[in-house]
Amino acid sequence: MTSITTLFSVILILMVSSNEALRLLVFFPLHSKSHSILGQGLVSRLLEAGHEVVHITSFPRDKSVTNLTEISLETLGMKMKEEIEKYDVFKLKNFVGKGNIGVSFFFIYFTYNVHKRILEEPHFVKFLSDPKQKFDAVILEWFFANEIAGIATLFQCPLIWFSSTQAHWQVLELVDEIPNPSYNVDLFSTSTPPLSFWERVGELYTMIKNMLIFGVLVTPFEKSIYNNVFYKIAAERGVTIPSYDEAIYNGSMLLINSHPSIGSPFRLPQNAKYIAGYHIEKQVAPMSKDLKKLMDEAKHGVIYFSMGSNLRSMDMTDHMKNSLLTMFGKLKQIVIWKFEGDLDNVPVNVHLVKWAPQQSILSHPNLKFFITHGGQLSTTESIHFGVPVIGIPVLGDQHVNMRSVTNKGFGISITLAEDMANDLLNAIEEMLENTSYRKKAKELSYIYHNRQQSPGDELVFWVEHVVQTRGAPHLRSPALSIPFYKKIYLDLLFIIISIIYLLVKATKLLVCKRCDRNQKAKKKD
Ligand SMILES: *[C@@H]1O[C@H](CO)[C@@H](O)[C@H](O)[C@H]1NC(C)=O
Ligand SMILES: *[C@@H]1O[C@H](CO)[C@@H](O)[C@H](O)[C@H]1NC(C)=O
Ligand SMILES: *[C@@H]1O[C@H](CO)[C@@H](O)[C@H](O)[C@H]1NC(C)=O
């Protein structure tokens, strides 16, 4: 009887809480336009669902919005950006001939330092220390820093990880286990499964190398940030928090900004979900009159060229810029080039725009294809609107993304080079003549859209589910709590080897005893 009453009251509590608006903390602190687009999209979906959101961001909105509070990291972001620009490393021209730089020491230091400074930013610390701040769940963008898990421990609420890229071992490891590198490639890899022998060896090598690098050079420092920052704040809030290791492996959910129609169909635990495309508004914003007229009247169609928001076309060498301009000038199509500066001798069919309404351009029926750097947002948006691409991957996950694009057959990839105008022209001609890329893009777009729920609704559903079920413990992967030696049955192997060893020993002993006796018997004879 009492158990039935308890059951009913539990159900009642769950039902009541499901109608309540939640208070959610969204942490997307990076000073990078593309990451902030994902953060803003997440916030918009949660607000539309009637929830209250506090957003940690480097790109606060222009207007204040009901139920949204922003903690701005803009000043810090600008400062760090200026420092980076002094080094010149992130300029487009400096990636020519580099291939994929992968996880460099500079990159590791960069991500470590960014998070350290964010977590030490005084007004952010003040916000975290305020005992009046309470949340139902915390959503954290994971970008090569695990110690941020401490934020959720302070509010004693469920932690939801957000991966801005495809799934990969470093993020899956937090909610499940390290996936097998023989068919799951590293985020910065240039290979795609099925892997050849040497590619498989390469993936294993990369994984072990990165595990060692992160284990030795990053984790100890992350622990020290965790201990220095979060224990102090916890004391001010009057809560006790778990250790670093307990905190980082206690995520309730992992939202992945990918989808099998775009990336690879990673095998996921029950609490990891593909939600790519949620940032795209149901109704794309109308473009300016001039741009609309230009696209509407393009008799031979339009080609859109953008290297994304972080890599600026402006930072190409003069030779690159001029040879591309000359090449574009020979085309019949209108070319819209997202270019952040000014250029001389721009041909009549080329239109430079400082900022491009990308989704609106991609949705226009006269668009032929998109020349892109292959970032995760650009490839997602291409598939969303069914547009084929020519990719010029530069760094990070762009190589993985473009390998996936070419394997799936909805695009062509060319190598970033001083003299790439000719390669690009060949790719453009192939794209204009061969309809297979466009057909494939439409097919994949169908797969992408054919879901039970829109990605935005799905995202909101899982966030609410996590809160309503108090951290969704029923979805957690059993693999998380099992050490590696048990997974591969090293203990069993040890027992078997021990038994065999003992048996061999015992047999030898018996045989020897018998032969001893025989010998003794012989001697007596
Ligand atoms: C703001 O949040 C309250 C609950 O906290 C909700 O009732 C209301 O609809 C929300 N307003 C908007 C504009 O979403
Ligand atoms: C792990 O998360 C759950 C759900 O949010 C929470 O109840 C629990 O206290 C957390 N455990 C630790 C060790 O932080
Ligand atoms: C078009 O491109 C596809 C994919 O690269 C290729 O398989 C096909 O042979 C091409 N068709 C023509 C007519 O060149």
Side-chain angles (χ1 to χ4, degrees):
M1 206 44 208
T2 44
S3 65
I4 287 180
T5 354
T6 340
L7 188 67
F8 271 120
S9 57
V10 167
I11 290 173
L12 211 65
I13 289 170
L14 291 182
M15 277 164 55
V16 168
S17 60
S18 71
N19 293 328
E20 255 171 31
L22 307 177
R23 190 159 195 269
L24 303 161
L25 178 64
V26 174
F27 178 79
F28 267 73
L30 298 182
H31 193 272
S32 153
K33 194 77 194 137
S34 53
H35 290 262
S36 86
I37 289 172
L38 290 171
Q40 292 291 358
L42 184 61
V43 168
S44 297
R45 299 297 86 81
L46 295 171
L47 289 172
E48 284 157 14
H51 300 305
E52 195 190 330
V53 179
V54 175
H55 187 197
I56 319 294
T57 174
S58 287
F59 295 86
R61 299 185 181 195
D62 303 331
K63 282 183 278 184
S64 75
V65 177
T66 322
N67 290 347
L68 172 66
T69 309
E70 291 177 309
I71 309 287
S72 172
L73 297 172
E74 196 176 10
T75 319
L76 176 66
M78 296 291 274
K79 207 163 111 199
M80 289 193 284
K81 192 174 167 207
E82 272 166 29
E83 289 168 15
I84 285 286
E85 273 172 5
K86 266 192 267 163
Y87 288 106
D88 240 34
V89 278
F90 284 140
K91 293 234 168 98
L92 192 51
K93 59 182 175 206
N94 295 317
F95 288 100
V96 173
K98 291 264 167 70
N100 197 8
I101 50 170
V103 169
S104 62
F105 286 108
F106 181 83
F107 177 80
I108 289 175
Y109 178 72
F110 170 76
T111 54
Y112 161 77
N113 186 44
V114 163
H115 287 91
K116 178 173 187 289
R117 289 170 70 176
I118 290 166
L119 291 176
E120 288 171 353
E121 177 72 5
H123 73 284
F124 181 45
V125 170
K126 191 164 156 244
F127 161 78
L128 292 177
S129 313
D130 181 359
K132 285 201 285 294
Q133 295 291 344
K134 294 208 162 60
F135 294 98
D136 295 303
V138 167
I139 305 169
L140 306 173
E141 185 193 19
W142 185 90
F143 198 70
F144 299 90
N146 293 336
E147 76 276 19
I148 56 170
I151 297 172
T153 69
L154 292 176
F155 299 105
Q156 300 187 299
C157 68
L159 157 62
I160 298 173
W161 290 112
F162 183 97
S163 165
S164 352
T165 62
Q166 279 213 45
H168 56 100
W169 70 269
Q170 277 179 293
V171 70
L172 285 174
E173 186 235 356
L174 293 171
V175 292
D176 189 30
E177 64 185 339
I178 292 180
N180 189 331
S182 67
Y183 54 92
N184 295 296
V185 299
D186 187 76
L187 183 62
F188 294 154
S189 175
T190 48
S191 312
T192 12
L195 303 178
S196 70
F197 173 76
W198 287 114
E199 284 176 329
R200 263 189 316 123
V201 173
E203 288 303 321
L204 181 65
Y205 167 75
T206 308
M207 201 175 82
I208 294 175
K209 187 188 76 182
N210 286 349
M211 271 164 130
L212 287 175
I213 292 176
F214 276 87
V216 173
L217 289 181
V218 181
T219 311
F221 291 97
E222 284 192 350
K223 276 187 188 168
S224 98
I225 299 179
Y226 183 92
N227 294 342
N228 290 336
V229 172
F230 293 113
Y231 281 118
K232 211 161 92 209
I233 301 177
E236 275 179 51
R237 293 186 64 88
V239 294
T240 44
I241 60 168
S243 69
Y244 169 89
D245 290 297
E246 282 175 296
I248 68 167
Y249 293 112
N250 197 31
S252 293
M253 172 91 17
L254 168 66
L255 300 171
I256 303 169
N257 183 39
S258 182
H259 187 263
S261 58
I262 313 160
S264 45
F266 255 95
R267 206 173 56 190
L268 299 180
Q270 291 296 318
N271 62 352
K273 304 289 169 191
Y274 288 123
I275 40 88
Y278 73 87
H279 73 283
I280 302 170
E281 300 288 334
K282 289 206 175 90
Q283 210 75 48
V284 292
M287 32 182 146
S288 69
K289 273 211 187 86
D290 292 347
L291 196 58
K292 183 167 175 346
K293 188 157 177 285
L294 182 71
M295 288 196 79
D296 284 346
E297 291 173 359
K299 256 200 305 207
H300 299 283
V302 177
I303 297 170
Y304 168 50
F305 178 25
S306 166
M307 291 301 278
S309 45
N310 293 327
L311 295 162
R312 293 176 308 188
S313 296
M314 203 176 91
D315 295 331
M316 291 182 182
T317 62
D318 288 339
H319 175 73
M320 280 165 102
K321 292 182 228 179
N322 292 330
S323 58
L324 286 177
L325 266 191
T326 315
M327 184 270 287
F328 288 145
K330 290 186 198 137
L331 300 173
K332 281 191 290 189
Q333 286 70 28
I334 298 282
V335 178
I336 299 173
W337 184 358
K338 195 205 125 214
F339 194 92
E340 304 73 14
D342 295 304
L343 280 178
D344 296 328
N345 309 322
V346 178
V348 285
N349 67 325
V350 179
H351 295 260
L352 304 183
V353 291
K354 294 217 164 61
W355 177 83
Q358 181 154 303
Q359 297 175 11
S360 317
I361 294 176
L362 292 177
S363 70
H364 198 287
N366 280 352
L367 183 75
K368 291 280 179 199
F369 52 86
F370 176 16
I371 305 173
T372 170
H373 64 314
Q376 184 73 350
L377 286 188
S378 293
T379 37
T380 305
E381 289 172 11
S382 303
I383 285 301
H384 185 100
F385 295 105
V387 173
V389 301
I390 295 176
I392 314 171
V394 180
L395 80 161
D397 59 343
Q398 294 156 16
H399 292 270
V400 160
N401 295 343
M402 278 317 298
R403 281 294 288 257
S404 175
V405 167
T406 50
N407 278 7
K408 286 174 188 290
F410 76 98
I412 302 170
S413 187
I414 68 163
T415 308
L416 178 75
E418 237 353 268
D419 280 311
M420 63 178 179
N422 211 26
D423 288 348
L424 187 54
L425 181 62
N426 290 338
I428 289 174
E429 281 170 352
E430 163 75 3
M431 209 32 110
L432 289 170
E433 281 161 20
N434 189 333
T435 54
S436 81
Y437 302 100
R438 174 161 283 269
K439 249 169 70 189
K440 200 73 207 176
K442 295 278 178 225
E443 232 176 87
L444 290 165
S445 187
Y446 174 78
I447 297 171
Y448 163 96
H449 285 288
N450 196 10
R451 309 187 214 182
Q452 287 173 318
Q453 259 180 318
S454 76
D457 290 346
E458 184 163 3
L459 178 157
V460 170
F461 172 83
W462 287 115
V463 171
E464 291 173 353
H465 182 80
V466 163
V467 176
Q468 286 155 13
T469 61
R470 298 193 171 73
H474 56 287
L475 293 180
R476 295 204 185 184
S477 167
L480 199 56
S481 53
I482 307 215
F484 186 67
Y485 78 89
K486 285 191 187 170
K487 271 178 207 158
I488 59 165
Y489 284 93
L490 271 188
D491 44 359
L492 176 63
L493 192 68
F494 178 75
I495 292 172
I496 292 175
I497 291 175
S498 309
I499 291 174
I500 293 174
Y501 176 78
L502 289 178
L503 281 179
V504 170
K505 264 277 189 218
T507 326
K508 265 195 188 152
L509 222 65
L510 279 180
V511 171
C512 276
K513 275 225 170 103
R514 262 186 60 186
C515 67
D516 268 4
R517 224 183 283 139
N518 287 351
Q519 270 169 6
K520 272 177 199 158
K522 261 185 201 155
K523 267 182 193 163
K524 267 184 200 163
D525 287 345

